[in-house]
Every structure is written in structure tokens, then in C-alpha cells.
Amino acid sequence: MIEVSNLTKQFGSKTAVDNLSFSVGKGEVLGFLGPNGAGKSTTMRMVTGYLPPTRGSVMVGGADMVANPVEAKKKIGYLPENAPLYPDMTVQGFLSFIAELRGLRGAQKKAAVEKSLELCFLEPVRNQLIDTLSKGYRHRTCLAQSVLDDPDILILDEPTDGLDPNQKHEVRSLIKRMGENKVIIFSTHILEEVDAVCSRALIIDRGKVIADGPPAELRARSRKAGSVLVDIEGLSGSGLKAELERISKVASIEVTRSDDSGFAGRVFPTKSTSGHDLSAEISKLAAEKKWVLRDLHVDEGRLDEMFREITDTTRS
Amino acid sequence: MSNIISVFKREVAAYFLNPLAYVFIFVFVVLSMVFAFIIGGLLEQREAALTSSFFEFHPWIFMILAPAVGMRLWSEEHRLGTTELLLTLPINPWEAIVGKYLAACVVLFVSLASTWTIVAEVGLLGDPEWGLIFSGYIGSFLIGCTMLAITMAVSAFTRSQVACLVLSVTICFFVTLIGFWMFLDFIDGSVLSPLAGFFASLSVMGQVRSLNNGLFEPATLIYFVTVIGFCLFTTSVAIRTKRS
């Protein structure tokens, strides 16, 4: 549905987006991640046709964004960063205006406005001036304009920014629901959001893709993924550590607590061993030696750690 | 076309739901009356065509009023970030430019139409030449629209309405000044005298002079269409380059 190839954007001598290529198909919810200034918004602005690319192309449902912008823009609903709105209009008036510019008229327009009011929980404020709305309502008003006309593609730049936890949850479930038969690209700084909503995450840094895959797969790339967390009582810490090191599947151990009564730490398996195999091994040993296991579980890895690791390495 | 109408309707509503539009109109009417009766000596001149006492002053009022009306056109969009919204909708940027421009022209039109009392007055007191009054109004409206187009082009470059106002007033001032008789007399007496005709033809003042005499020359129309067209084109270039 969206085909981005060799997309490059330069502002003067600064390269904001550097030869970026990716494609997103129907039914995918793509989380777009990266540190501030990585080029997320710039990329989204090029995909939506706001910024002309320096090089490269954006194909949207078969239409070229540069050569045939009106056709391409028809397929896209866009929520820009900071949710810009006309403060002098009412919510309903604003949505009607956008619906008209999306080519809807008469009953069709009315139905589309009603539907998006309902979808984004805006009915209580429909006749209120946008100027008088709270931040959460404003954000949802801008979100509502992006889903008018039920576009095939939704591009949302930080859709949950500035919302309270309940509103965040609502917007996330909305994205998830709509993602079933649309293409959705959204950027965020909140990594749990990616886990909760996305079928795929794309991490960019300095205008380049540095990771691309399902969240679980990316999580597994973090250094701590597959390590086993243990907390054992029954012997002095140093003794327990020595016992654990004797297990052949152990590569290394990080100690978090070691005293007379016990030991807690993180045990890394060797390359050929899975975390779960190692965990089984430790529990067998514990049973044998009559240790009390206060905790024993495999760390599946965390996106934020993985994110820090890969964005740090590229920065240094 | 329908997109132009949608943008036009929104902008007209934005103007007239705001008390500022009424302030502009009020100021225009008051100023044009003050100029006509006090400086122009409308009653003493016994001039029923209103040419030298009324229409003559309009460029000087419009050079402030048109920038004041037009300064929000794009500066406000840039400041709110709504340019991004507008330009990612499936419309041609031209449709937004023309729609917004025409809406601002409506404010000038209403301002001019609100001076109808002065027309009624000369109608009651004398026997005016209606054709001259009509062409005088057309001339004033075209001047206002030209200054509005200049303002719109300036506003596309900046998100600051104040910067837009100051710069536009300056440009409109020079566009008026170079056709003003005092300026032309001054030029005539200097080394630049061969350029006097050139200056006069560049200025909005020189263009309406024939209109105020009841003559509608094709060159006048060409002048206004060219200048307004150029300003709208500059606006579209500014919007495009501001993005990149």
C-alpha cells in the first residue's frame, strides 16, 4: 500500500532523512520509533505530501505522491504533530470543512462527520468552539479529521501525545481496531504502546532504518533477553554463585545481591542455550540442594533496552 | 472549484465571526468620510462625481487597511500549523490560495459598500454622474484587491502577523507613492525625469486615474490582473519553499 524508496530529505547541508526505504501492507500497524530529531516527522511529512522529498519516491496505493499528489492524498488520513486546528471553528464545523475538502457532500458528508464524532468520543463537545476545548479533546478532534472519509491509510504523528492514561488507552484501542483493515503508521516515544498496538516496529536514527521487525523479535535482540533472573535463599551468596557457575550452560553471572543468607542476580546462558533450558537446569539444581527459590524467571527482553542499545551504539 | 468555495466559505466565516472585521469596516468608513468632508472638502467642491474628494484618498486608506485585513491569511495558518493540514488534504494548493484571497476581498468589498451613504448624499444634494461613481468604486476596489494580493504574498513568507503588516504597508506605500502627483512633480524636476511616466504606470494611482475619469482601458485591466496574478503566484512559491 505504501512504498517508500530511497527517500532523502536535506535541509541545507543537514540530512534529516537519509536514503530511507520501507513498505507497509494492508493490515499492518507500523510503529515508527526513534530518538528526537531522528527524522520521524520529516519522513511522515514526506509520505503525506507536505514536504517535497529531495530524492526518492513515495507510492501510495499505486499513486505517486510527487507526480499525482491529489490522487495519493485522497487515500491518506493524517494527524500532524501537535494536532493543528482552527480555533475559531466548532468541532462539527471543522469536521464538515475537512469533509468538504475530502470531496464529501450532502448526506455523505453528514454521515462521515457523525461517524467520526462518535468514533473519537466528541459528541459532548460537537458544538463547542475548538478554542475552548481541553487538550485531550483537541487532539481527538484532529484525530477525527484524519479518519473522516474512512481512508485506507492512516498516518498519525504521536497520536497519544498529551493525553491522560484513559484517553491513551482509548486511542490505542481505536488504532488497533482500525488497523485490522487499514494501513496505519504512527510515531511514538512510548514503547509500551508499540507492544500493545503494533504488528511491526521500525526504528530510525539519524534518518536511517536501524531496526525493523515485529516488537517481540526486536525485544529479543536486547542484551538481557534470554537471561534468567534468580533469587535464592539457603546458602551464603558467594557459595551460591560458585554453584551456579558450575552449570555448563552458564556464560556469565551478574550479581545484584550477595550476602550471608542468599543470592540474587542475572544469569546469562551460553550462546547455544535458551533461557528456558537454563532456567530448568537451575530449578533442578535448587531442588537437589534444597535451596529456596524466591524468584526464577526468564527475561524476554525489553524494547526500551533494545532501543537504548542500538540508538546509543549508532550515536557513539 | 468546489474546494475553492469550501475554503472561501470558511474564511469568510472566520472574518465575520471575528469582531476585527467590523473594526476594519468601521475604520474604513470613518476615515473615508473624514478625508472626503474635511480634507477633500466634498461639500465646498460641489463635485458630485466624488472623484477628487472621495476616491482619491482610498489608496492611502487601503495601504493600511488591506494589510490589516490580509495579514492573517497565511501567517496565521503558519503559526497554527494548519498549513500542514491544508496541504495534505486532497486539494490543489491553488484552490486554497484563491479561496482565501477571495474571502479577504469580500471584507474590502463590504467596507466599500458601507460608504453608500455618501453616494446617497450626493444623489440627494445634486445630480451626480452615476457612471463616474460606479467606475470610481471599481477603481478603489481594484486598488484594495491589489494591496491585498501584495499582503497575501508577504504573509506566506512569515508566521508573524506584525512583520507581515509592517512589510506590506511599506510596499503598498511605495506602490501608491510612485504614482502620487507630488512625487511625480518631484521626479520631473530631478535627473530621474525620464522615468516619471514609468513610475506613474507602475503605480496603482496611475491606473485608476483613467477609471476615475470614466475610462475603462484594457491596459488597466491587464495591469491589475498581472499584479494580482504575480502576487498569487509568489504566494504559491512561498508556501512551497517554506515547506522545504
Side-chain angles (χ1 to χ4, degrees), chain A residues 9-11 41 45 48-52 69-71 73-74 76 78-81 83-89 94 97-98 100-103 105 109 142 145 157, chain B residues 2-11 13-15 17-18 72 76-93 100 240 242-244:
Chain A
K9 183 71 197 178
Q10 284 163 334
F11 295 105
S41 289
R45 284 173 170 171
T48 53
Y50 177 60
L51 285 179
V70 174
E71 207 45 50
K73 285 171 185 174
K74 262 187 199 150
I76 298 181
Y78 176 40
L79 169 71
E81 199 180 6
L85 299 161
Y86 293 108
D88 52 7
M89 298 181 98
F94 172 73
F97 170 63
I98 301 289
E100 277 179 24
L101 294 186
R102 298 205 70 107
R105 290 288 179 283
K109 175 177 95 177
C142 204
Q145 69 72 34
D157 202 347
Chain B
S2 65
N3 289 332
I4 295 179
I5 295 170
S6 297
V7 173
F8 172 78
K9 279 195 304 194
R10 192 209 96 73
E11 290 292 321
Y15 270 119
L17 288 175
N18 192 320
R72 60 169 284 281
E76 179 80 349
E77 300 271 348
H78 290 330
R79 192 179 63 78
L80 293 170
T82 41
T83 322
E84 190 167 354
L85 209 57
L86 214 50
L87 297 181
T88 50
L89 287 166
I91 63 166
N92 190 320
K100 286 170 87 67
R240 215 173 317 143
K242 219 177 149 47
R243 294 185 274 163
S244 47

Side-chain angles (χ1 to χ4, degrees), chain A residues 89-119:
Chain A
M89 298 181 98
T90 64
V91 172
Q92 191 172 348
F94 172 73
L95 293 176
S96 297
F97 170 63
I98 301 289
E100 277 179 24
L101 294 186
R102 298 205 70 107
L104 300 174
R105 290 288 179 283
Q108 241 182 335
K109 175 177 95 177
K110 228 175 153 184
V113 170
E114 287 304 319
K115 202 176 146 199
S116 70
L117 280 171
E118 187 190 343
L119 204 62

Side-chain angles (χ1 to χ4, degrees), chain B residues 18-236:
Chain B
N18 192 320
L20 248 117
Y22 302 97
V23 174
F24 293 146
I25 293 166
F26 178 73
V27 167
F28 178 78
V29 172
V30 168
L31 281 182
S32 61
M33 295 296 165
V34 166
F35 278 122
F37 286 102
I38 298 174
I39 305 174
L42 177 74
L43 298 174
E44 295 81 16
Q45 281 206 19
R46 316 193 67 77
E47 185 214 31
L50 296 171
T51 308
S52 65
S53 54
F54 180 61
F55 294 121
E56 191 82 352
F57 295 106
H58 284 181
W60 304 97
I61 308 175
F62 274 139
M63 78 171 61
I64 310 277
L65 191 82
V69 169
M71 64 184 182
R72 60 169 284 281
L73 280 171
W74 289 101
S75 303
E76 179 80 349
E77 300 271 348
H78 290 330
R79 192 179 63 78
L80 293 170
T82 41
T83 322
E84 190 167 354
L85 209 57
L86 214 50
L87 297 181
T88 50
L89 287 166
I91 63 166
N92 190 320
W94 268 106
E95 296 173 308
I97 293 170
V98 173
K100 286 170 87 67
Y101 177 65
L102 292 179
C105 291
V106 167
V107 179
L108 293 190
F109 181 83
V110 174
S111 304
L112 271 175
S114 305
T115 59
W116 64 272
T117 49
I118 202 165
V119 179
E121 204 169 295
V122 291
L124 284 173
L125 295 176
D127 181 22
E129 284 191 55
W130 296 111
L132 276 183
I133 291 180
F134 183 69
S135 64
Y137 267 113
I138 289 184
S140 283
F141 186 56
L142 286 174
I143 287 177
C145 289
T146 305
M147 291 180 174
L148 204 53
I150 292 169
T151 309
M152 168 133 125
V154 174
S155 81
F157 283 98
T158 175
R159 51 192 293 164
S160 159
Q161 294 199 23
V162 177
C164 172
L165 181 71
V166 172
L167 194 58
S168 309
V169 170
T170 310
I171 295 172
C172 292
F173 174 70
F174 280 107
V175 166
T176 310
L177 182 77
I178 56 173
F180 189 48
W181 59 269
M182 279 167 109
F183 178 77
L184 290 175
D185 281 357
F186 169 73
I187 291 283
D188 238 0
S190 74
V191 286
L192 292 169
S193 63
L195 293 173
F198 173 69
F199 279 131
S201 63
L202 265 188
S203 160
V204 288
M205 290 287 248
Q207 297 305 319
V208 292
R209 204 151 285 143
S210 59
L211 260 178
N212 285 347
N213 293 327
L215 292 171
F216 195 85
E217 291 167 345
T220 306
L221 188 68
I222 291 169
Y223 170 85
F224 284 111
V225 169
T226 310
V227 174
I228 293 172
F230 174 76
C231 289
L232 297 195
F233 176 72
T234 308
T235 307
S236 82

Side-chain angles (χ1 to χ4, degrees), chain A residues 117-183:
Chain A
L117 280 171
E118 187 190 343
L119 204 62
C120 300
F121 312 100
L122 289 166
E123 274 145 335
V125 294
R126 63 191 301 160
N127 293 319
Q128 212 168 310
L129 276 184
I130 288 169
D131 204 22
T132 64
L133 295 179
S134 67
K135 190 167 182 187
Y137 272 124
R138 275 176 200 229
H139 217 91
R140 277 184 281 164
T141 305
C142 204
L143 183 66
Q145 69 72 34
S146 70
V147 301
L148 274 169
D149 193 24
D150 202 20
D152 293 335
I153 298 163
L154 273 182
I155 296 181
L156 313 170
D157 202 347
E158 301 196 10
T160 56
D161 181 45
L163 301 182
D164 70 33
N166 292 335
Q167 293 164 337
K168 276 195 171 96
H169 179 77
E170 275 165 19
V171 169
R172 277 177 208 160
S173 41
L174 191 68
I175 292 174
K176 207 168 182 177
R177 203 151 18 102
M178 290 189 302
E180 285 162 15
N181 45 21
K182 282 188 198 306
V183 176

